[in-house]
Amino acid sequence: MPDTPPSVPDFTQWPSFPFEGDLRVKQLDEPVPFEPPRRGEADRECTACNAPDEAYIWVGERWRVRAMDRPTGLPMVLILESRSHLDLGDLPNLLAAELGVMTVRLERAVRSLDGVARVHVNRWGDGSAHLHLWFLARPYGRLQLRGTFLSLWDSILPPISEDQWRENLAMVAAWLAEFGGRPLAEPPRIQWQAPSSLSATSPANAAEEPEEEPVSVIEAADEIPESDAAVDVSDPSAGLSEADPAPQTGSVPVSAPGSAPTSEGDDESGDESGDESGRPDAVRTRES
């Protein structure tokens, strides 16, 4: 095929490239004359606008933070969304400035988690017209995961435990709530009930249930074509990911914490006079 490069790109030799063996480059499709509308454009409904606050781990007057619907391979994957139906280039100056504050604040919150070395901030906008930024945490010490292939590694690594995932979500929500808004994620509850028997369950008698495939960032990004028939706008979790299969980012079963929530009118951009680089007492940190 004359249009196919004779060899694969140099990045396939990088230590961070997740695959090995024989590879070949796909041939490019012909460009289309008109691009299809994204979610929230033309006659397509915006599932981000239709999603209730309960589908998020933290909500404020102008911003909301959503998690994946279950644990994935990375310590944390979060999405920052605007409440207003605006894309990145449509933000007025005040919201644009506040986006910078929220980006820095959420990056610090995720980086405060144990075992997190870096937080990658990404924006893909081919699937939805509603502004959303991705925050991906790279595990500490995993140098092979450095760089642009982190979203690929998220679908390759085994998912973290659900208890650790929920604890991380609660800590990030508590961090953000120190500056306003309302946290909606709680840590996992301790199981106080003792087992009825101390004998080990026989593997032959144990019920074997197939494990669900975890969602991943790469599945939620723009690389996978979507089917209009597969989008269920009645599901608040169906459209915040960049492309189907839906839902990729979904409602995390959370409930409001026992403490009185901060008024929704609070400015989630926070009091700029405070020391935002300091970590709130409610958030457990890792000493660097």
Side-chain angles (χ1 to χ4, degrees), residues 191-263:
Q191 300 295 331
W192 294 106
Q193 185 175 4
S196 58
S197 174
L198 297 180
S199 60
T201 303
S202 172
N205 298 331
E208 295 183 359
E209 297 181 359
E211 294 184 358
E212 294 184 2
E213 288 293 332
V215 294
S216 65
V217 175
I218 195 64
E219 290 174 351
D222 308 326
E223 286 79 2
I224 296 180
E226 66 179 67
S227 169
D228 291 347
V231 178
D232 181 8
V233 296
S234 65
D235 183 356
S237 66
L240 289 220
S241 55
E242 287 294 338
D244 288 327
Q248 297 302 337
T249 58
S251 172
V252 178
V254 293
S255 58
S259 58
T262 306
S263 171

Side-chain angles (χ1 to χ4, degrees), residues 3 6 22 39 56 60 70 79 99 104 115 118 173 195 210 219 223 237 256 263 269 276 286:
D3 294 336
D22 295 333
R39 296 186 187 91
Y56 295 78
R70 55 186 178 269
I79 304 172
L99 174 61
V104 171
R118 300 283 185 272
E219 290 174 351
E223 286 79 2
S237 66
S263 171
S269 66
E276 188 173 320
R286 171 179 55 79

Side-chain angles (χ1 to χ4, degrees), residues 23-163:
L23 299 170
R24 62 186 181 91
V25 178
K26 284 184 176 180
Q27 188 167 359
L28 283 176
D29 296 333
E30 291 296 324
V32 297
F34 302 101
E35 293 196 2
R38 302 174 294 172
R39 296 186 187 91
E41 286 182 331
D43 58 348
R44 295 199 61 184
E45 288 195 52
C46 179
T47 48
C49 292
N50 294 336
D53 281 355
E54 289 71 25
Y56 295 78
I57 70 164
W58 174 90
V59 296
E61 185 179 1
R62 292 174 293 279
W63 303 94
R64 301 194 290 184
V65 175
R66 178 187 281 269
M68 308 295 279
D69 61 358
R70 55 186 178 269
T72 58
L74 298 180
M76 184 55 57
V77 177
L78 293 174
I79 304 172
L80 173 65
E81 293 179 354
S82 60
R83 277 195 181 271
S84 302
H85 185 73
L86 299 168
D87 207 347
L88 182 61
D90 303 326
L91 294 178
N93 288 343
L94 289 179
L95 271 183
E98 198 170 61
L99 174 61
V101 175
M102 290 300 304
T103 300
V104 171
R105 181 166 299 152
L106 186 51
E107 191 274 346
R108 285 174 175 163
V110 176
R111 186 160 41 90
S112 74
L113 299 173
D114 286 342
V116 172
R118 300 283 185 272
V119 181
H120 294 200
V121 182
N122 299 271
R123 184 254 178 175
W124 294 287
D126 281 339
S128 173
H130 197 116
L131 173 63
H132 54 289
L133 270 63
W134 291 79
F135 292 73
L136 293 79
R138 177 176 69 78
Y140 189 87
R142 296 286 188 177
L143 301 184
Q144 193 176 357
L145 275 56
R146 291 180 298 178
T148 56
F149 300 117
L150 186 64
S151 60
L152 294 175
W153 281 108
D154 182 53
S155 60
I156 298 172
L157 299 171
I160 67 173
S161 70
E162 182 163 348
D163 282 353

